[in-house]
Amino acid sequence: MDVTFWEMIWPALGRGLLTTLQISAVALTLGFLMGIPAALLRVYGPKWLRWLSVGYIEIFRGTPLLVQLFVIYYGLPDLARALEGLGIEAQFLVLDRMLAAYVALGLNSGAYQAEYFRSAIQAISSGQIMAARALGMSQFQAVTHIVLPQALRLAIPAWSNEVAYMVKYTSVVFIISVPDLLARGQFIISKYYNPMEILLTVGAIYLMIVLGLSTIMGKIERAATIPGLQMEVERG
Amino acid sequence: MSNAIVRVENLHKAYGDTEVLKGVNLEVDEGEVLVVIGPSGTGKSTMLRCINLLTRPDQGRVWVAGDEITAPHADVNQIRERVGMVFQDFNLFSHLTAEGNVMVALTKVKKMSKDEARKLAMFELERVGLSDKAQLYPAQLSGGQKQRVAIARALAMDPSVMLFDEPTSALDPELIGEVLEVMKKLAREGMTMIVVTHEMGFAREVSTRMIFMEHGVIAEQGPTQQLFYNPQHPRTREFLGKITELYGHEQGEA
Amino acid sequence: MDKLPDILGSLPYLLEGALLTLAITVLALISGFVIGLPLALLRVYGRKPAATLAAAYSTVLRGLPSLVVLFILFYGMAAVVKLPAFLAGCVALGFCSSAYQMELLRGAIQSVGPGQMMAARALGMSQLQAIIHIILPQALRLAIPSWSNEAAVVLKDSSLVYAVGLAELLRRSQQVAARTYQSFIVYSLCALIYFAMTFLANRGLDHAERALRLPTPLEETAH
Ligand SMILES: Nc1ncnc2c1ncn2[C@@H]1O[C@H](COP(=O)(O)OP(=O)(O)OP(=O)(O)O)[C@@H](O)[C@H]1O
Ligand SMILES: [Mg+2]
C-alpha cells in the first residue's frame, strides 16, 4: 500500500465515521426520549400503560436489531401499501434508509435504556418518594425532583455501556446500504480487493471510538458520583 | 533436630512497607496446646498462615513434622495435608453439604474412595456432635455448627497439628461454648494445637504454653500459669488486663 | 391477504432457518465459554503478564462490532482460508461472546470470595484442584443469570450472519418476503420466531438456575 492509497481512502472512511457517529447520536437521543417515559410508565403508570411499556420494551429487547431494521425499512412501506388498498393514506410509514436507521436504532436503544432507567428508579428507596410527598410535593414533582436526579446518576454506568453498544451496532445499517463506516470500508474493498487491511483499519477505528467514548463516560460518571449512591450493571 | 511438630525459624513478612513479622522463632512439641494472644494487627494470623504456607514468608524457614515446607522443591500440598486449619469465618464450601465438606479433600486430595470417605466423614461429624446435620448445607447451619463442621473437615485429614485462627470470634456468645467444648476434647485426646484466641478461660484451662505477640515478634512466652499470674513483660500484663475487661466473662467453663 | 396461505406454507422453511439460527447460537456460546473460562481464570489467578493479556483480549473484542469480526473472518481471511459462512459465523460470534463470557465469569469467580480458596489450599488441594472442585461449582451457579442474558444476546446477534449469505432465519425470511411481496407480515413473523426463541431460552435458563440454586436458610434471607 502506498501513501497515495491511504490518502485516497481516509476521506471516505472519515465520512463513513461521521455517519456512524451521527446515527449513534440520534439513536441515543431518541432512545433517551423513549426510554425515560417508558421506564416511568413501567414503574408508576396505570395498569394499561404499564403493559404498553412492558410490551414495547420486551418486543424490542427480545428480537434482533437487524430484524427490527428490516420490519421498519422494508415492512412498513409494504404496510402503507396495504393500508392504501383499504383507502387509508399512510405515506408517513415509508422511510428513507437514513430515517429508517434512526427510527430502528432509536426505538431499539429506547427499550434498553428504559430497562436501565427502570432498575435505577427501582434502586431508589420508596422512602424517598414518601419523604417528598410528606413535604407536600405531588407524585409528579417527587418523581421529577427527587427520584430522577438520583436514578439518572445511577444509570450512568449502564448508559455508558449503551453508548458503546450503539456505536458498534450502528454497523448493521450497512446492510440497508446506509453509507456508514463499515459500508465505506466495504466499498473500498470491492474496488481494491484488499479486505484484510481495510477491515482491520475499520475495526481499529471502531475500537478507538468505543474506548474514547468509554473514557469520556467514565469521567462523567466520576464527576456525577454522589458518595453512597451506587449500583451494578451488565451487558444489555 | 528435636521432636518438634512445628518449627519456625526467623520468620519475616512484609506487605509493601509494613513489616508484619520481624523474625519469629517458635517450636511446638507433640501434644502441646499453644495459645497465641496479642493486640490486633500484630501478625498472629500472618504467622499461622506462614506455617502452612498459605502466605509465603519473605524470609525464614518452617518445618512441619520434620519436613521443611519452605524448602525449594517441597511438596507443599502434601505437607499442608498434615496441618489442619480452622478459620475465624469458617470458610465452609457453600456448594457442599456438611458431609460433602468433610469428604471433598478426602476424595480429591487423599484419593479415598467415596464410600471410605463418607464413612470417615460421618465418624468425624459424630466426633463434633453433628452426625444428624450431615446432609445440611452451610447456609442451613448455625455459626457454631459451621465451625464444628470446619473442625471435622480439618480433622478428617488426620493432621499432625491443628491451627485455629480466632475460631470463636465470629460467633454469637451463646454459640462459643459448643465450639470450645470440641476444642477441649481434642486437646484431651492429645492433639497438637496452635490457637489464636481471646478466650482466656479456654487458655487457662487447656493450654500448656502461651505466647504474647506484639509488633511482629514474640514479646513473651512461657507456661500458661506463669504468663497468666506472673507475666514478665509490662505490656503482657497490660494486655491481659484489657482482655479480661473486654471478654471478662469466661466462656465455655460450664 | 391472499398471500397468507403462501406465507403459512413457508413456515416450515422459516423454522428450518430458525434451527440453523439455534445451531449457530449454541456453537458460538460453547466456543465462547471454552475460550472465556480459561481467560477468566487467567485474569483472576494468572500472573501479571497473562492477566494483562487476558484483559486486553477482552477490551479489544468488546470494542469491535460483531459484524466487523465476522467480515474479518469471512472476507479478510479469504485469501488464506475460505471459511464457510456457517463456520465463520459461529467462530466470529464465539470470539465476541468469549470476551463477554470472560467478564461475567470473572465477576462470578471473584464473588466466591478468597476464603474458599484459602480453605481449599489449607486442606492440601492444589490451586487447580481448588478451582475445579471448590471455586467453579460455586461460580458457575452464580453466573447462570448473566449467562442466560448472554445467550439471548448471542441468539439475536446470530442474525448478523445474514450478511455473509447463510440461509438462517432472517435470510430465509427475506427470500419469502421477496417471493410473496409481503415484507411486513413476513418480517414480523420472523421477529415473532426470534422473540419466542429468546423467551424460551430465558425461561429454560431461569429454570436451570432455580434447579441448581443452593439451599438458603429458612428464617433469614441474608447471611
Ligand atoms: N494480604 C494482605 N495484604 C496486605 N496487608 C495485609 C495482608 N494480610 C495482613 N495484612 C496486614 O498485616 C498486618 C497483620 O495482620 P494479621 O492479620 O496477621 O494480624 P492479626 O494479629 O491476626 O490481627 P487480628 O487480631 O486483627 O486478626 C495488619 O496490619 C494487616 O493489615
Ligand atoms: Mg487475625
Side-chain angles (χ1 to χ4, degrees):
Chain A
M1 289 305 125
D2 46 37
V3 178
T4 49
F5 170 76
W6 288 105
E7 271 171 10
M8 225 155 49
I9 65 163
W10 277 125
L13 291 182
R15 273 200 304 280
L17 177 58
L18 230 56
T19 309
T20 289
L21 291 178
Q22 186 182 329
I23 297 173
S24 311
V26 172
L28 284 167
T29 312
L30 211 64
F32 185 81
L33 297 177
M34 290 294 294
I36 292 279
L40 288 175
L41 288 180
R42 184 161 184 177
V43 180
Y44 301 113
K47 204 163 192 167
W48 66 277
L49 277 176
R50 216 178 308 167
W51 280 110
L52 193 70
S53 154
V54 169
Y56 160 62
I57 293 169
E58 292 308 320
I59 286 171
F60 277 86
R61 279 163 39 97
T63 56
L65 172 58
L66 190 53
V67 174
Q68 293 158 20
L69 188 62
F70 276 26
V71 171
I72 288 167
Y73 183 61
Y74 297 117
L76 287 186
D78 180 49
L79 182 64
R81 208 155 29 81
L83 289 175
E84 235 159 79
L86 300 172
I88 305 167
E89 188 61 40
Q91 266 310 302
F92 68 92
L93 289 177
V94 183
L95 307 177
D96 71 26
R97 44 178 58 105
M98 203 65 182
L99 210 52
Y102 289 150
V103 171
L105 272 72
L107 287 176
N108 180 276
S109 183
Y112 284 95
Q113 290 191 43
E115 278 302 88
Y116 301 146
F117 294 136
R118 178 181 68 94
S119 49
I121 289 169
Q122 285 175 339
I124 309 289
S125 75
S126 57
Q128 298 276 312
I129 284 204
M130 238 184 316
R133 298 300 295 273
L135 291 171
M137 288 189 195
S138 69
Q139 170 92 5
F140 184 77
Q141 283 174 320
V143 169
T144 49
H145 295 305
I146 305 299
V147 175
L148 275 187
Q150 299 182 55
L152 289 180
R153 276 195 179 80
L154 283 183
I156 293 177
W159 209 81
S160 55
N161 275 354
E162 180 64 16
V163 171
Y165 267 117
M166 256 309 128
V167 172
K168 289 194 298 170
Y169 273 92
T170 49
S171 57
V172 303
V173 302
F174 140 81
I175 293 174
I176 59 165
S177 306
V178 172
D180 74 332
L181 178 56
L182 182 56
R184 299 274 182 186
Q186 285 292 67
F187 182 68
I188 297 169
I189 290 170
S190 65
K191 237 161 93 185
Y192 298 96
Y193 294 107
N194 51 350
M196 205 48 158
E197 286 102 315
I198 299 298
L199 284 171
L200 288 180
T201 308
V202 166
I205 297 175
Y206 275 112
L207 181 61
M208 251 128 63
I209 298 296
V210 167
L211 289 183
L213 287 173
S214 302
T215 313
I216 295 173
M217 290 305 300
K219 287 224 166 75
I220 294 177
E221 190 185 325
R222 247 164 288 129
T225 306
I226 294 177
L229 195 66
Q230 260 165 10
M231 80 185 219
E232 305 252 322
V233 289
E234 63 179 34
R235 185 183 189 187
Chain B
M1 199 188 293
S2 66
N3 63 338
I5 295 272
V6 172
R7 197 149 77 88
V8 170
E9 210 178 83
N10 194 28
L11 216 51
H12 283 264
K13 178 72 190 177
Y15 289 110
D17 288 338
T18 31
E19 268 190 274
V20 179
L21 296 180
K22 304 177 200 164
V24 172
N25 294 288
L26 183 66
E27 254 182 50
V28 183
D29 288 337
E30 187 158 3
E32 267 198 289
V33 175
L34 180 72
V35 161
V36 181
I37 57 172
S40 181
T42 47
K44 305 182 296 292
S45 302
T46 307
M47 180 187 75
L48 280 196
R49 286 202 304 265
C50 281
I51 291 176
N52 61 0
L53 236 55
L54 284 176
T55 295
R56 199 164 262 285
D58 300 331
Q59 192 189 325
R61 302 165 77 181
V62 177
W63 288 264
V64 173
D67 293 319
E68 188 186 349
I69 194 169
T70 43
H73 297 290
D75 183 347
V76 175
N77 294 330
Q78 209 241 317
I79 301 173
R80 266 188 200 136
E81 286 176 45
R82 283 180 262 155
V83 183
M85 184 152 192
V86 175
F87 303 89
Q88 178 174 346
D89 42 6
F90 330 128
N91 292 335
L92 286 189
F93 305 134
S94 344
H95 65 303
L96 299 173
T97 59
E99 184 185 57
N101 264 277
V102 184
M103 283 171 65
V104 67
L106 295 175
T107 54
K108 306 303 175 192
V109 177
K110 283 210 191 288
K111 311 288 181 201
M112 265 186 203
S113 75
K114 277 231 149 97
D115 284 339
E116 243 182 308
R118 181 164 294 120
K119 235 180 270 162
L120 181 51
M122 284 314 290
F123 172 77
E124 296 296 353
L125 285 173
E126 180 83 63
R127 224 170 138 188
V128 298
L130 286 174
S131 47
D132 55 328
K133 306 282 188 230
Q135 299 313 320
L136 295 185
Y137 283 86
Q140 300 168 313
L141 298 171
S142 76
Q145 292 168 340
K146 278 187 215 174
Q147 196 59 297
R148 282 146 70 199
V149 173
I151 294 173
R153 177 173 75 177
L155 284 178
M157 299 299 284
D158 193 20
S160 320
V161 56
M162 289 275 284
L163 313 179
F164 293 83
D165 192 356
E166 305 198 30
T168 56
S169 295
L171 296 176
D172 292 338
E174 72 272 20
L175 299 176
I176 293 177
E178 61 187 67
V179 173
L180 291 181
E181 234 10 86
V182 168
M183 291 169 63
K184 282 181 203 167
K185 195 167 118 203
L186 265 184
R188 280 197 299 272
E189 290 169 7
M191 174 61 74
T192 313
M193 297 161 66
I194 304 179
V195 186
V196 177
T197 186
H198 299 301
E199 296 297 333
M200 289 304 109
F202 172 85
R204 186 154 39 197
E205 192 183 338
V206 181
S207 75
T208 51
R209 187 154 59 108
M210 284 179 77
I211 280 183
F212 174 64
M213 266 187 89
E214 195 172 38
H215 304 313
V217 291
I218 294 175
E220 176 168 4
Q221 61 174 310
T224 303
Q225 293 299 317
Q226 180 197 315
L227 209 97
F228 252 107
Y229 300 111
N230 192 17
Q232 306 299 305
H233 203 296
R235 287 284 299 142
T236 315
R237 195 190 312 266
E238 197 183 320
F239 182 78
L240 278 170
K242 226 184 275 168
I243 212 169
T244 359
E245 201 178 296
L246 270 172
Y247 299 81
H249 57 286
E250 290 187 350
Q251 277 291 341
E253 297 230 78
Chain C
M1 290 299 114
D2 48 340
K3 296 282 189 182
L4 216 52
D6 194 359
I7 294 172
L8 286 180
S10 309
L11 201 55
Y13 183 68
L14 293 183
L15 291 177
E16 254 173 60
L19 231 50
L20 198 57
T21 290
L22 277 180
I24 299 172
T25 306
V26 169
L27 289 175
L29 279 171
I30 291 174
S31 40
F33 182 78
V34 170
I35 304 171
L37 181 59
L39 286 176
L41 290 172
L42 271 187
R43 182 92 171 79
V44 179
Y45 299 112
R47 287 171 203 285
K48 194 76 184 274
T52 313
L53 218 63
Y57 172 90
S58 144
T59 306
V60 169
L61 271 175
R62 286 182 301 131
L64 291 176
S66 313
L67 207 47
V68 171
V69 177
L70 176 63
F71 283 3
I72 288 176
L73 285 172
F74 189 71
Y75 297 119
M77 302 272 289
V80 193
V81 271
K82 187 94 187 72
L83 291 181
F86 179 76
L87 192 60
C90 293
V91 176
L93 293 177
F95 271 132
C96 294
S97 179
S98 72
Y100 289 96
Q101 292 195 49
M102 169 187 158
E103 294 299 330
L104 70 89
L105 290 169
R106 176 177 67 99
I109 290 168
Q110 280 171 338
S111 62
V112 169
Q116 298 280 311
M117 175 60 94
M118 215 184 350
R121 299 305 300 274
L123 287 168
M125 289 192 195
S126 67
Q127 190 179 39
L128 189 66
Q129 282 177 319
I131 288 172
I132 292 173
H133 301 298
I134 305 300
I135 305 296
L136 286 185
Q138 299 179 53
L140 294 182
R141 277 188 176 86
L142 293 175
I144 295 176
S146 341
W147 200 83
S148 139
N149 187 49
E150 176 63 18
V153 172
V154 174
L155 178 65
K156 288 179 276 173
D157 279 359
S158 73
S159 63
L160 299 176
V161 181
Y162 163 94
V164 293
L166 190 71
E168 42 68 78
L169 178 53
L170 181 56
R171 175 63 72 177
R172 289 182 182 218
S173 306
Q174 189 214 19
Q175 292 161 355
V176 175
R179 186 159 51 76
T180 57
Y181 296 103
Q182 293 291 333
S183 302
F184 186 73
I185 295 175
V186 174
Y187 286 130
S188 300
L189 183 62
C190 167
L192 186 69
I193 298 174
Y194 272 112
F195 187 81
M197 288 195 291
T198 50
F199 184 81
L200 290 177
N202 276 331
R203 274 305 122 89
L205 287 163
D206 271 1
H207 201 77
E209 201 256 335
R210 242 167 298 129
L212 291 171
R213 189 177 297 165
L214 295 171
T216 44
L218 300 172
E219 321 86 338
E220 51 197 16
T221 43
H223 47 264

